[in-house]
Amino acid sequence: MLARIAALTERPLSFIRSFKYRRTDSIPNSSRGEMDFTDLDSNATKCVNLRLCSVSGCMTEILEIRADRPSFHVVFVPGNPGVITFYKDFVESLFKSLGGTASVSAVGASGHTEKNWEHGKLYSLQEQIDHKIEFIKVQNIEAPLVVVGHSIGSYIALEMLRRLPEKVMYCIGLYPFLALNLQSKKQAVIVKVIMSRVLSIMVTLFVAPLSLLPRRVLRLISELSNGNSWSNTAHEACCSHLPQYHTIRNVLYMARTEFIKIPKKKNL
């Protein structure tokens, strides 16, 4: 199972690193048997469903595909931006690769939505962790849980594994962001922007007005900025979510709390 999920990183998303943890002390023998991959239907296909779900009073975007008789349930946690529609192709590919034996739920980040459901409220990294844990609790998922995280979502996934030992059996990190790289020039630029109130405001004021542009213009900007490697759904997600004032503010604020909370790598 772990190999099948990790292998998807080479297709819909270009992740280049991964980690995996298994909680062997909390998986009953019957569960281990159910999670075997001997009779997979490689042609399993279902359409992904986008729905809204209230989690801790926060309107949350969920991408989901339900298996008819799931042996386990994959909960996917995105990186930052936590715009879940970026991962539509990934969720569909994951479900198909697992042969329809598992349900897949991808949980968007609080405040990283197309509409300003929360009236501009900002959510820190810790609040995003609490949000995902609350999602697990309110969904009342009975099947064994496999939590998959991308980038900073891997850090959140590890916290879910730590705080929900009775529910989460596996944790997989795709291109995990678990520590700061002091030698990364890209990270240095990001830190300089997000830690500066003035620079953060400038970025927000530059990006937010783009939402007033026609969608075809936004699409052109996205294609010129991100190239042909992005899928059609990724470009659409970029155009619908990222130019929103409340979304870009939450992206920057969450990033700021990430760099405050995540430890630094001293020996590289």
Side-chain angles (χ1 to χ4, degrees):
M1 176 188 66
L2 303 180
R4 288 178 176 272
I5 295 177
L8 290 172
T9 62
E10 299 178 0
R11 294 198 289 274
L13 295 174
S14 299
F15 307 143
I16 60 174
R17 296 182 294 167
S18 67
F19 69 78
K20 57 187 178 183
Y21 290 101
R22 176 180 180 178
R23 188 179 295 283
T24 56
D25 59 345
S26 59
I27 304 178
N29 291 333
S30 59
S31 295
R32 289 177 187 149
E34 290 177 350
M35 298 173 77
D36 189 17
F37 285 84
T38 55
D39 298 310
L40 291 182
D41 177 8
S42 61
N43 295 318
T45 56
K46 278 191 176 183
C47 293
V48 64
N49 176 50
L50 175 63
R51 65 182 177 93
L52 293 175
C53 176
S54 179
V55 180
S56 298
C58 173
M59 197 62 72
T60 307
E61 294 179 340
I62 311 292
L63 278 179
E64 195 167 59
I65 306 182
R66 291 279 185 173
D68 295 330
R69 293 182 297 276
S71 297
F72 59 98
H73 195 120
V74 178
V75 175
F76 178 76
V77 182
N80 185 12
V83 177
I84 206 59
T85 47
F86 271 121
Y87 300 87
K88 178 178 179 292
D89 295 336
F90 174 75
V91 170
E92 291 177 339
S93 297
L94 178 57
F95 181 82
K96 183 176 181 180
S97 179
L98 296 176
T101 62
S103 296
V104 182
S105 297
V107 189
S110 305
H112 297 212
T113 51
E114 181 177 2
K115 294 185 178 181
N116 188 11
W117 300 106
E118 311 310 319
H119 306 290
K121 181 179 178 180
L122 302 179
Y123 294 88
S124 66
L125 174 59
Q126 185 57 53
E127 288 173 314
Q128 298 289 356
I129 294 172
D130 296 338
H131 173 259
K132 305 306 177 293
I133 290 175
E134 184 63 21
F135 171 80
I136 297 297
K137 293 179 178 179
V138 301
Q139 293 301 299
N140 193 28
I141 301 172
E142 297 182 357
L145 284 179
V146 176
V147 180
V148 180
H150 166 225
S151 188
I152 191 60
S154 301
Y155 185 91
I156 297 175
L158 280 175
E159 285 297 302
M160 296 168 72
L161 177 72
R162 183 180 67 84
R163 291 171 55 177
L164 297 171
E166 73 286 356
K167 292 181 176 293
V168 180
M169 306 303 164
Y170 289 86
C171 176
I172 302 173
L174 306 178
Y175 208 142
F177 179 42
L178 304 177
L180 304 185
N181 184 351
L182 299 178
Q183 297 181 359
S184 171
K185 294 181 180 179
K186 183 178 180 180
Q187 284 191 14
V189 173
I190 293 175
V191 170
K192 185 175 182 179
V193 172
I194 64 177
M195 292 301 181
S196 169
R197 181 178 178 83
V198 174
L199 293 177
S200 294
I201 292 176
M202 289 177 62
V203 171
T204 303
L205 293 179
F206 173 77
V207 174
L210 296 177
S211 62
L212 301 175
L213 296 175
R215 180 57 65 91
R216 63 180 181 276
V217 177
L218 286 174
R219 178 60 183 259
L220 178 61
I221 293 174
S222 178
E223 291 175 350
L224 292 175
S225 302
N226 304 306
N228 297 325
S229 61
W230 278 30
S231 67
N232 180 62
T233 53
H235 284 300
E236 287 300 314
C238 178
C239 295
S240 62
H241 287 67
L242 292 187
Q244 304 299 328
Y245 178 77
H246 68 280
T247 301
I248 195 63
R249 285 194 68 213
N250 262 290
V251 168
L252 295 175
Y253 181 71
M254 180 180 173
R256 182 176 185 273
T257 60
E258 289 173 27
F259 280 92
I260 292 174
K261 189 176 183 66
I262 300 296
K264 298 179 180 179
K265 286 183 179 179
K266 296 181 180 180
N267 298 314
L268 296 176

